[in-house]
Amino acid sequence: MKPDWDKLAKEYDGSETVLIADVDCTEGDNKDLCSKMGVRGYPTIKLYNEGDTEGESYEGGRDLKSLKKAAAALGPSCSVKNYDLCDAKEKKAIDELKKLTPEERMSQIKTAEEGIEALEKKFKDDLEDLQATYKKLMDEKDTAVEALKKPLKGLKAFKDAAAAKDEL
């Protein structure tokens, strides 16, 4: 996929409406960014339109033709700035948000972001607990297997001796 991605980036180089970029999520500060953006596997492609800070996961083809089609579809979409591109349901949602004071909007943003942060922390903590449980179970299994292998070695020696005697 990387060669096709690089070709696509070259095609859109200098575009004022589309940016094709990549981030190495395995390096330093990028890990936090990738975690925040919900990147869990590689390669992950996220599409962003103006004003979109969350991005939308792209699940389409990874070949140049499919990537070009997705990039061509990027551009202005329904938002406060592009109200005329919204359908009736989207306009109604925007109209409701316009009724809020800036403080009320900021409060709702803060509440949602805190909720997301709490969920991410819970996930991380639960994952660490799961990894600790996995390690404990592996250690217990390995200890039990080793305990069973000790007498098994001697028992197998008798089995091998009996098999050799039967062959004579």
Side-chain angles (χ1 to χ4, degrees):
M1 183 188 116
K2 180 73 169 135
D4 285 341
W5 185 258
D6 291 340
K7 287 176 191 172
L8 184 69
K10 192 171 183 176
E11 275 190 40
Y12 280 90
D13 189 29
S15 170
E16 292 188 24
T17 58
V18 176
L19 170 66
I20 306 296
D22 49 72
V23 176
D24 184 347
C25 292
T26 63
E27 290 191 13
D29 293 339
N30 293 345
K31 290 180 183 179
D32 289 338
L33 172 66
C34 293
S35 177
K36 181 180 176 186
M37 293 297 121
V39 175
R40 303 247 189 274
Y42 314 108
T44 295
I45 298 176
K46 302 277 278 192
L47 306 176
Y48 295 83
N49 277 305
E50 183 181 0
D52 181 4
T53 59
E54 303 298 317
E56 179 182 323
S57 291
Y58 170 76
E59 301 298 334
R62 299 317 208 223
D63 59 286
L64 185 58
K65 183 179 177 182
S66 298
L67 293 170
K68 279 184 177 183
K69 184 178 178 184
L74 291 173
S77 62
C78 173
S79 68
V80 174
K81 290 182 180 179
N82 295 307
Y83 189 78
D84 57 315
L85 299 177
C86 300
D87 63 26
K89 185 178 177 182
E90 293 167 324
K91 285 180 179 179
K92 183 178 179 187
I94 289 173
D95 292 342
E96 289 301 314
L97 293 174
K98 285 181 180 177
K99 292 177 186 176
L100 300 174
T101 65
E103 294 79 19
E104 290 171 325
R105 283 193 292 270
M106 290 307 295
S107 175
Q108 287 186 14
I109 289 169
K110 183 179 178 190
T111 299
E113 287 176 343
E114 287 172 350
I116 291 168
E117 190 175 312
L119 288 168
E120 290 289 348
K121 182 182 181 328
K122 181 181 181 329
F123 174 80
K124 184 179 177 185
D125 292 345
D126 288 350
L127 183 59
E128 287 174 5
D129 289 346
L130 184 61
Q131 288 170 331
T133 300
Y134 174 81
K135 184 181 181 334
K136 179 180 173 240
L137 289 170
M138 285 295 292
D139 290 345
E140 289 173 356
K141 180 205 57 110
D142 290 346
T143 300
V145 167
E146 279 304 310
L148 290 170
K149 280 184 176 181
K150 288 179 184 176
L152 189 60
K153 186 176 181 180
L155 289 167
K156 282 186 174 182
F158 282 103
K159 177 181 162 192
D160 292 344
K165 186 177 178 181
D166 287 342
E167 289 178 9
L168 296 174

